[in-house]
Amino acid sequence: MKLWTSPWVSCLVILILCFGSECGTVRRSKRELVRIREAKATIPGACATRLPRGKRSLPGLERRVPRQRRRSSQAEENSPDRGKAVYFTGRGDQLRLKPGVEIPRGNFTLEMWIKPEGGQRSPTVIAGLYDKCFYASSDRGWLLGIQAVSEHGNRDPRFFFSLKTDRAHKVTSIHSNARYGPNQWAHVAVTYDGVYMKLFVNGAQVGVSREQSGDVFSHLTKKCKVLMIGGNALNHNYRGAVERVGLWRQARGQRQIIRDMQGHEDPQDLPQLVIRETFDHPGRKWLTVKDGNFPQPEEGGGGRLGFLGGVGVVNSEGILDTTLDPPSCGQTVCDNVQVIKNYNNLWNFRRPKKVRYRVINVWDDLRIKPTVSDHQISLQHQQLNDAFSPYNISWELSVHNVTNSSLRNRLILANCDISKVGDDACDPECNHPLTGYDAGDCMSGYRSRCPEHKQGNGVCDPECNWENFFYDLGDCCNPNVTDVTKTCFNRSSPHKAYLDVKEVKEILNLDGSTHLNVFFANSSDEDLVGVATWPWDKEALTHLGGIVLNPSFYGTFGHTDTMVHEIGHSLGLYHVFRGISEIDSCNDACLETEPSMETGDLCADTNPTPKFKGCHDPEPGNETCGGRHFTHTPFNNYMSYADDACTDSFTLNQVARMHCYLDLIYQTWQPASKPPPVPMPPQVVEQHHNSITLEWFPPISGHFYDRDVGSVCDKCTEGRVLLQYASNSSSPRPCAPSGHWSPREAE
Ligand SMILES: [Ca+2]
Ligand SMILES: [Ca+2]
Ligand SMILES: [Ca+2]
Ligand SMILES: [Zn+2]
């Protein structure tokens, strides 16, 4: 059905915040047959914490914050001196602070609300302090602006804060952690306290440096300093709105900045305030540049009322909130209900995907004893593809052979962190004869006697091989006197008889971005059959990612579904019993009472079930959060704990999740790299009597498909804006007798 002839539609491409789990949690799932042991422990040197399953990791939480912090907070809207937003055109409406105002020489804070348009040049200066006397050192002072971080074209533009004190030899620049959102209001603040320079966006500290020190300038050069907003003399001008600029002679702390952002003003702070510009009378404190004008009030600024268009939430500026939040029990955009429904309902999201995996087979130096046989590899490969091919996922095998007796002959502990060996607490996952029973930790009460003459006598004496005798004064870790692969229990010795999986992965150092790597661990713990890395783990695409399998449960009859199960975890699937048996408390956001895409395993087509190994519904038991009878439970599902004879399928929701994570995280494991899909249809964000504005969601990965530099913007108009025009559109609403449809009907 035709709509009116040529309505224009502007394409506003809104960028999404980073999805990466920069500060992600390290979580390991395993298909243990007996017990779950996932103690809380801090991984040294990383900001990662091991959390019990069912608990959310940080990235999901962090990503939800910006929406709450959007400008529309009550305090801000009601603040009497909120002032008005002015619009800088980028052409001759920059402002210079009048000479009478004393610009802070030392500590300072500059903060403001801004709504930058897309397609700014790099760099763009929003505000800056310049030196008009010393042309040779024109970079003295500081700048707040927008700069492309990528070297190719104008990609990945971010807010930056740069500073060069009069004494410094070079400039220091810090950038925000993610690209800016065009046409979205953001509160930006930069502070300097003589030691630290910091950049805050929407109240969050996103950059810090201590490269500069001391005052920004001295008394002597005071008269030379010029503060400008909206651009600079080099025409690096800013296009977009600015509101409520504050300049302080102190480095404000994060808490104060958040209060400023919310519009609260503490009268005690006011002596530190140099300027609070609300743009009601800009001519009082500011001068225009030569032949320039004052920036005009923003057209329709703040007054525009948005409306809901489908799933996206449109804010008061008529701009979609394109951050697709996961439910509180989820982690990423692939846990968003609407996204997964689209993957579920639209076949083209689930088009066949071929994925590479690599089996790491370690041999002894004589090449006699592989970790897994060719027969195992081929049988498992066949079974793997049989399991996944009905769901349009196929696996491409490669085998990486490593010849290394020292690795082959050592015990590899799949789930024991090496730092726990000999830490004076018995850790069952580290308890094995070849670790000397957790270096004695699991032998409490056992006291061996070691005659002094045997210590360090060049023979490894088992009765002396304990930590308190320094492992027989080194005898038992000396490869010249003993078979260290049997006797060396000292975790700090390079000859120790065991390794943890992380050490093995470090030694092998195999790229995790090209293949799903499959490692083997001859675990101490016969119960442990596999460990996987979640797609949101920060290791997922590194040499520390991949899955770890017990070779006895790999390519052996009746045990081939273990790998299917572990790969399910790698592709973002939880255990079907997560919502009942892997929750922290009955208040846990993941508790699954009814099948739901927002709780438990985030799949509505797997009924809630407790952890259970049988091939039938579990008998009524004592569930902590209300004793219930679980019926039609998904015991046949690969993500249950039933054995191979029972498991045979994934559900449609699970398949949607796996395809989504393959698009979101694992593009590089697939030989045919495609542009990441856009998970949502465009939404109507604005309508006038003869036009509507649609907004497109960004691609699911947040990364736009790379084209050759230079060709990206050949369709752009001035100012790097891309316009798209619709020539026809349709509506399910009936046609009015006049034959004309209003935009209302095009929603
Ligand atoms: Ca221990
Ligand atoms: Ca000895
Ligand atoms: Ca479920
Ligand atoms: Zn599992």
Side-chain angles (χ1 to χ4, degrees):
M1 280 185 272
K2 286 268 161 70
L3 186 55
W4 77 106
T5 45
S6 61
W8 64 269
V9 166
S10 76
C11 162
L12 305 162
V13 179
I14 302 299
L15 310 172
I16 213 159
L17 293 170
C18 81
F19 291 120
S21 48
E22 276 158 30
C23 185
T25 54
V26 180
R27 298 207 291 180
R28 292 289 181 271
S29 55
K30 60 173 193 168
R31 195 191 195 192
E32 64 284 80
L33 301 172
V34 169
R35 55 190 176 256
I36 304 173
R37 294 184 304 260
E38 282 188 298
K40 292 182 188 182
T42 309
I43 309 299
C47 56
T49 314
R50 234 173 249 266
L51 294 176
R53 273 181 278 196
K55 204 148 185 183
R56 299 187 293 280
S57 72
L58 285 172
L61 291 175
E62 281 168 2
R63 285 194 48 254
R64 274 192 295 283
V65 175
R67 180 188 280 180
Q68 294 154 9
R69 289 191 186 153
R70 288 260 161 86
R71 205 181 55 143
S72 55
S73 78
Q74 282 289 304
E76 175 61 21
E77 296 296 338
N78 300 336
S79 170
D81 62 346
R82 188 184 130 196
K84 51 178 130 174
V86 287
Y87 175 73
F88 287 88
T89 61
R91 288 187 295 262
D93 46 11
Q94 304 87 277
L95 296 176
R96 235 178 86 177
L97 192 62
K98 283 187 175 174
V101 183
E102 182 130 341
I103 301 166
R105 287 198 303 117
N107 301 358
F108 75 93
T109 298
L110 176 81
E111 57 181 355
M112 62 178 87
W113 282 99
I114 53 170
K115 187 170 82 167
E117 292 183 349
Q120 306 271 351
R121 55 184 297 181
S122 178
T124 284
V125 173
I126 301 167
L129 179 76
Y130 300 94
D131 192 311
K132 64 180 179 187
C133 308
F134 300 95
Y135 288 100
S137 49
S138 57
D139 54 352
R140 278 183 184 177
W142 48 259
L143 298 176
L144 162 65
I146 293 170
Q147 194 168 31
V149 174
S150 162
E151 286 166 10
H152 304 288
N154 260 9
R155 295 191 196 156
D156 208 3
R158 301 179 183 201
F159 295 126
F160 76 94
F161 171 33
S162 70
L163 172 67
K164 184 184 171 192
T165 64
D166 277 5
R167 300 185 313 171
H169 295 294
K170 61 183 183 71
V171 181
T172 303
S173 293
I174 53 178
H175 293 87
S176 63
N177 59 323
R179 60 184 91 170
Y180 78 95
N183 294 314
Q184 286 177 34
W185 280 104
H187 184 266
V188 287
V190 297
T191 68
Y192 177 62
D193 64 1
V195 181
Y196 289 101
M197 49 186 287
K198 295 178 179 175
L199 171 62
F200 297 85
V201 176
N202 291 328
Q205 184 184 313
V206 294
V208 63
S209 166
R210 56 173 304 174
E211 256 174 45
Q212 302 282 324
S213 62
D215 284 349
V216 181
F217 58 90
S218 71
H219 282 297
L220 301 170
T221 58
K222 198 165 88 178
K223 289 220 162 63
C224 295
K225 301 300 171 182
V226 180
L227 189 122
M228 287 181 74
I229 55 175
N232 65 6
L234 297 169
N235 233 10
H236 295 139
N237 296 341
Y238 165 75
R239 256 191 305 107
V242 170
E243 192 181 292
R244 208 174 140 85
V245 176
L247 178 67
W248 304 78
R249 59 176 68 84
Q250 64 170 177
R252 304 207 21 104
Q254 185 171 29
R255 199 167 289 183
Q256 292 172 307
I257 287 168
I258 290 171
R259 286 181 60 78
D260 293 343
M261 185 175 111
Q262 292 167 342
H264 301 295
E265 210 140 74
D266 189 341
Q268 285 186 337
D269 291 353
L270 291 180
Q272 300 297 327
L273 183 65
V274 183
I275 320 166
R276 162 73 72 216
E277 184 53 65
T278 54
F279 297 105
D280 289 319
H281 308 284
R284 287 183 186 166
K285 292 208 178 96
W286 302 87
L287 300 167
T288 57
V289 292
K290 192 163 60 108
D291 303 329
N293 304 309
F294 281 104
Q296 295 303 303
E298 197 206 6
E299 238 178 83
R304 249 188 262 166
L305 281 178
F307 57 94
L308 285 177
V311 292
V313 177
V314 179
N315 64 16
S316 61
E317 280 86 33
I319 300 296
L320 255 186
D321 181 357
T322 55
T323 48
L324 296 167
D325 291 329
S328 54
C329 169
Q331 309 274 349
T332 73
V333 66
C334 282
D335 302 333
N336 177 284
V337 173
Q338 201 59 43
V339 169
I340 289 305
K341 277 187 178 164
N342 287 349
Y343 268 85
N344 214 150
N345 297 336
L346 302 169
W347 68 272
N348 53 345
F349 281 116
R350 291 175 278 108
R351 270 196 279 236
K353 294 185 174 72
K354 187 176 270 184
V355 192
R356 287 185 289 246
Y357 78 107
R358 173 163 57 191
V359 173
I360 319 301
N361 199 9
V362 179
W363 298 64
D364 59 324
D365 291 344
L366 299 171
R367 299 276 287 180
I368 296 169
K369 226 168 42 131
T371 305
V372 289
S373 68
D374 285 348
H375 179 256
Q376 277 177 286
I377 294 172
S378 62
L379 175 70
Q380 183 67 59
H381 181 65
Q382 184 61 47
Q383 300 285 317
L384 188 64
N385 273 322
D386 287 352
F388 279 93
S389 61
Y391 312 110
N392 274 355
I393 297 170
S394 62
W395 295 92
E396 201 174 272
L397 165 71
S398 60
V399 181
H400 181 77
N401 290 303
V402 176
T403 308
N404 185 336
S405 279
S406 137
L407 207 53
R408 178 70 185 95
N409 293 334
R410 285 203 267 184
L411 169 72
I412 297 171
L413 297 157
N415 204 33
C416 162
D417 195 319
I418 213 77
S419 62
K420 290 187 173 175
V421 177
D423 66 349
D424 291 335
C426 174
D427 301 281
E429 70 270 28
C430 304
N431 185 12
H432 188 279
L434 285 179
T435 61
Y437 304 97
D438 193 3
D441 292 346
C442 297
M443 298 283 286
S444 65
Y446 176 80
R447 287 274 170 274
S448 86
R449 298 161 66 88
C450 166
E452 208 162 315
H453 70 273
K454 288 190 171 181
Q455 294 176 31
N457 65 348
V459 177
C460 171
D461 301 287
E463 66 270 36
C464 303
N465 193 10
W466 301 100
E467 207 221 333
N468 49 329
F469 304 117
F470 303 101
Y471 303 98
D472 198 1
L473 284 181
D475 281 347
C476 295
C477 286
N478 180 351
N480 298 323
V481 305
T482 176
D483 179 0
V484 286
T485 64
K486 303 265 181 325
T487 62
C488 182
F489 308 148
N490 182 356
R491 81 162 188 234
S492 49
S493 166
H495 302 294
K496 66 183 186 294
Y498 51 90
L499 294 169
D500 73 7
V501 166
K502 186 157 178 267
E503 291 175 301
V504 173
K505 288 174 173 177
E506 293 282 10
I507 292 167
L508 294 168
N509 196 20
L510 289 164
D511 188 355
S513 70
T514 54
H515 298 75
L516 167 67
N517 286 322
V518 181
F519 301 94
F520 296 100
N522 299 78
S523 166
S524 65
D525 182 348
E526 284 308 310
D527 303 333
L528 180 84
V529 297
V531 180
T533 309
W534 295 114
W536 45 85
D537 280 344
K538 66 181 189 303
E539 292 92 348
L541 291 173
T542 72
H543 66 290
L544 297 175
I547 61 174
V548 183
L549 298 171
N550 184 327
S552 335
F553 294 86
Y554 169 84
T556 52
F557 283 106
H559 298 297
T560 53
D561 285 355
T562 298
M563 185 173 181
V564 176
H565 174 103
E566 295 306 331
I567 286 183
H569 287 315
S570 280
L571 301 186
L573 301 189
Y574 292 103
H575 291 139
V576 289
F577 49 80
R578 182 192 187 207
I580 302 294
S581 301
E582 292 182 346
I583 51 171
D584 293 335
S585 73
C586 301
N587 297 322
D588 194 308
C590 295
L591 173 69
E592 189 177 15
T593 46
E594 297 294 323
S596 159
M597 292 176 79
E598 297 184 67
T599 59
D601 61 351
L602 306 179
C603 293
D605 50 9
T606 54
N607 275 353
T609 178
K611 186 158 82 181
F612 185 64
K613 283 180 263 167
C615 199
H616 50 85
D617 284 339
E619 297 81 18
N622 289 333
E623 291 310 322
T624 331
C625 306
R628 284 191 292 136
H629 191 46
F630 298 96
T631 52
H632 304 292
T633 58
F635 48 83
N636 291 123
N637 196 278
Y638 288 123
M639 301 316 290
S640 75
Y641 265 181
D643 60 26
D644 278 31
C646 186
T647 53
D648 61 8
S649 55
F650 290 114
T651 67
L652 293 176
N653 282 177
Q654 287 176 325
V655 172
R657 289 176 60 77
M658 291 195 284
H659 275 276
C660 187
Y661 277 106
L662 284 167
D663 285 335
L664 178 65
I665 309 284
Y666 301 123
Q667 286 270 343
T668 55
W669 286 357
Q670 300 170 57
S673 141
K674 294 193 193 79
V678 176
M680 294 285 180
Q683 310 281 318
V684 177
V685 293
E686 204 182 326
Q687 58 176 38
H688 295 294
H689 69 282
N690 62 354
S691 71
I692 55 168
T693 304
L694 302 186
E695 192 174 313
W696 270 255
F697 278 82
I700 192 159
S701 62
H703 299 296
F704 293 90
Y705 195 53
D706 282 350
R707 282 190 267 180
D708 291 336
V709 175
S711 73
V712 179
C713 233
D714 55 354
K715 302 275 191 299
C716 290
T717 62
E718 189 193 349
R720 296 169 187 273
V721 173
L722 176 70
L723 295 175
Q724 286 193 345
Y725 298 92
S727 61
N728 68 68
S729 58
S730 61
S731 168
R733 298 192 183 210
C735 192
S738 66
H740 292 283
W741 288 10
S742 70
R744 177 86 215 152
E745 284 155 338
E747 274 174 34

